[in-house]
């Protein structure tokens, strides 16, 4: 497992600013937490202060996991949604969670971190409550499967590794 600070220092793909929103300011965090009805993990905010969403560096684009529909040993994590200043932002944002929960018939309350519709990585507040420390859960909407991949966001980030390191 890699220390959070080490991952944070090289978390974002330096070769692209795709999916990146304008810089994060404290007012956006407060507005997002109010709209989402949850307290976001401090480590998530720290990453979004470095870059407000975008493509994750290849060194950190997968998380070890139990067998699932994606692979026998990991789930992908190719991007992380940022926090948009406006609901009509061009790039997807954490603030799109409510709409996407309804669209893809996902459980609530969760906050979608990354995904494509068929699969999602999310902060799952169902057990810990809106101000607790949510686990990171993989959702497969096609099969209805759920898989906890980390006990909390910090543990998730520290477990990240390169997808190419998995044999599957």
């Amino acid at each position: 497992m890699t220390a959070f600070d080490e991952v944070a220092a090289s978390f974002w793909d330096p070769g692209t600013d795709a999916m990146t929103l304008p810089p994060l300011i404290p007012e956006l965090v407060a507005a997002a937490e109010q709209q989402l009805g949850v307290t976001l993990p401090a480590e998530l905010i720290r990453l979004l202060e470095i870059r407000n969403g975008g493509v994750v560096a290849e060194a950190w684009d997968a998380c070890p996991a139990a067998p699932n529909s994606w692979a026998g040993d990991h789930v992908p994590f190719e991007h992380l949604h940022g926090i948009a200043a406006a609901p009509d932002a061009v790039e997807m944002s954490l603030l799109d969670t409510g709409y996407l929960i309804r669209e893809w018939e996902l459980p609530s309350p969760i906050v979608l971190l990354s995904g494509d519709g068929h699969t999602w990585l999310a902060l799952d507040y169902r057990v810990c409550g809106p101000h607790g420390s949510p686990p990171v859960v993989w959702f497969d909407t096609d099969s209805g499967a759920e898989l906890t991949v980390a006990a909390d966001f910090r543990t998730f980030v520290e477990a990240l590794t390169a997808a190419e390191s998995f044999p599957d």
Side-chain angles (χ1 to χ4, degrees):
M1 187 179 305
T2 307
F4 180 84
D5 291 336
E6 183 181 336
V7 177
S10 60
F11 182 78
W12 299 105
D13 183 336
T16 181
D17 62 359
M19 303 177 71
T20 300
L21 296 163
L24 190 65
I25 57 174
E27 294 81 10
L28 285 179
V29 175
E33 289 180 331
Q34 182 177 6
Q35 179 179 329
L36 295 167
V38 300
T39 301
L40 296 169
E43 294 85 359
L44 172 60
I45 301 306
R46 185 162 163 215
L47 291 175
L48 296 179
E49 287 172 340
I50 297 168
R51 182 190 282 182
N52 192 8
V55 178
V56 174
E58 287 183 10
W60 315 115
D61 66 354
C63 184
N68 59 78
S69 61
W70 181 264
D73 52 7
H74 71 282
V75 295
F77 184 60
E78 297 167 347
H79 66 275
L80 174 62
H81 299 308
I83 299 174
D88 58 350
V90 174
E91 297 297 341
M92 195 172 300
S93 161
L94 295 179
L95 299 181
D96 293 312
T97 292
Y99 164 75
L100 294 167
I101 285 172
R102 291 185 300 277
E103 176 75 17
W104 291 96
E105 299 179 356
L106 293 162
S108 184
I110 62 173
V111 174
L112 299 174
L113 300 171
S114 180
D116 65 2
H118 301 283
T119 60
W120 299 97
L121 279 166
L123 298 171
D124 187 350
Y125 288 87
R126 291 178 291 176
V127 173
C128 69
H131 305 295
S133 180
V136 176
V137 176
W138 164 265
F139 292 96
D140 181 326
T141 59
D142 293 335
S143 70
E146 294 182 22
L147 174 65
T148 299
V149 296
D152 56 54
F153 188 75
R154 181 183 192 100
T155 303
F156 171 74
V157 171
E158 290 177 341
L160 292 173
T161 191
E164 68 183 21
S165 69
F166 293 95
D168 189 359

